[in-house]
Amino acid sequence: MRPLISCVVPVYNGERHLEEALDSILAQEWRPLEVIVVDDGSTDRTLAVAREVAERAPEVIVVSQSNAGPAIARNTGISHAKGDLICFLDADDLWHPEKLVRQARRFAADPDLDHCVHHIQNFWDEDLADEAEEYGDHARGKPIAGYVTQCLMVRRRAFDRIGTFNTELKHGDSAEWFLRAREAGLRGDLMPDVLTHRRMHAENRSRVQASGSLDEFFGILKQSIDRKRAAGSSV
């Protein structure tokens, strides 16, 4: 019998793209699955859109909370997840129809595998056509190793071992989690397949809050170095 896969979708003011993102999950070949939409205190029609999709798709569960940021929203989704395998999708991105099938095969073939990612491909909304053309031959326009939550499939035991996402971070919670996973010796895998398509648009968090994201990332690296030094001195 196939295991249940839980798909967590954190969203804040994502009414424009949410339905398309959820449909890319519902189009997955894999069953059984559950889709946990965590509305992070949206002020637009996000919650209404999520509930409309849930009315036609029993796999969709809608959870609403006061605005607390993406890390807490992801952790809320994890707390509601019933599956042993957990995935995440941002509300403006899309999955390839075979994403869950291909990743689940890796886990079935390797019981010691803790987490698995794949490659991600950026694509641009029509209103950013000039930017899309600019990056056509750039690294940003080609598949990238997806060490981001949208590409992650993870066994629940990995969260039990090293914890969930760092709620003190506003931007780099996924990068910080991957660093902790590596430091703890969790077994991971990077697949060559492009199974997530990341939408580039005018409201991307990485675009709107770029300077804060960079500062936070340097802080995450420093904390990782400090942990390694502390571990080395205790040996």
Side-chain angles (χ1 to χ4, degrees):
M1 181 177 178
R2 285 180 162 184
L4 172 69
I5 297 180
S6 299
C7 308
V8 176
V9 183
V11 55
Y12 174 70
N13 287 352
E15 63 174 354
R16 180 179 176 187
H17 303 297
L18 178 60
E19 185 173 7
E20 188 178 3
L22 294 178
D23 283 342
S24 80
I25 300 177
L26 296 172
Q28 294 295 303
E29 295 182 9
W30 185 273
R31 290 296 185 279
L33 61 77
E34 64 176 2
V35 185
I36 304 164
V37 181
V38 182
D39 174 55
D40 190 32
S42 296
T43 57
D44 63 359
R45 290 195 68 257
T46 290
L47 187 57
V49 171
R51 287 172 173 166
E52 288 167 4
V53 175
E55 287 180 1
R56 62 176 170 83
E59 301 95 334
V60 177
I61 302 162
V62 181
V63 179
S64 183
Q65 65 181 31
S66 299
N67 182 249
I72 292 179
R74 290 187 186 99
N75 291 348
T76 296
I78 294 168
S79 71
H80 284 79
K82 297 181 177 66
D84 179 58
L85 294 173
I86 303 175
C87 292
F88 305 87
L89 181 63
D90 287 354
D92 47 2
D93 297 335
L94 303 171
W95 277 349
H96 185 286
E98 294 183 2
K99 174 205 160 63
L100 298 184
V101 167
R102 295 190 196 180
Q103 283 190 289
R105 286 174 184 161
R106 289 294 181 102
F107 283 92
D110 187 352
D112 294 326
L113 187 63
D114 294 301
H115 64 90
C116 175
V117 296
H118 50 75
H119 281 65
I120 188 169
Q121 174 71 58
N122 292 331
F123 73 101
W124 281 260
D125 266 356
E126 292 182 1
D127 55 349
L128 292 179
D130 291 344
E131 186 173 297
E133 183 176 355
E134 177 185 353
Y135 287 111
D137 294 323
H138 189 273
R140 291 185 66 186
K142 295 177 170 47
I144 305 165
Y147 287 97
V148 291
T149 52
Q150 304 98 302
C151 300
L152 175 66
M153 180 179 283
V154 57
R155 292 192 200 271
R156 181 180 295 276
R157 71 186 185 204
F159 290 126
D160 294 338
R161 181 172 170 185
I162 69 167
T164 52
F165 298 102
N166 188 333
T167 57
E168 296 181 359
L169 301 174
K170 295 181 179 181
H171 313 283
D173 53 289
S174 60
E176 194 269 349
W177 189 88
F178 281 111
L179 283 173
R180 278 192 283 125
R182 182 174 181 178
E183 293 167 19
L186 265 61
R187 184 166 177 178
D189 185 27
L190 170 63
M191 300 171 59
D193 314 50
V194 177
L195 300 177
T196 296
H197 296 269
R198 178 168 51 195
R199 187 190 305 270
M200 308 303 291
H201 56 89
E203 290 79 37
N204 286 123
R205 282 176 59 87
S206 58
R207 184 191 304 272
V208 175
Q209 303 175 8
S211 60
S213 177
L214 186 61
D215 291 343
E216 192 171 83
F217 182 69
F218 284 131
I220 290 168
L221 288 178
K222 183 181 183 304
Q223 290 173 5
S224 176
I225 292 169
D226 290 344
R227 286 194 299 266
K228 290 176 182 178
R229 285 175 176 168
S233 64
S234 64
V235 175

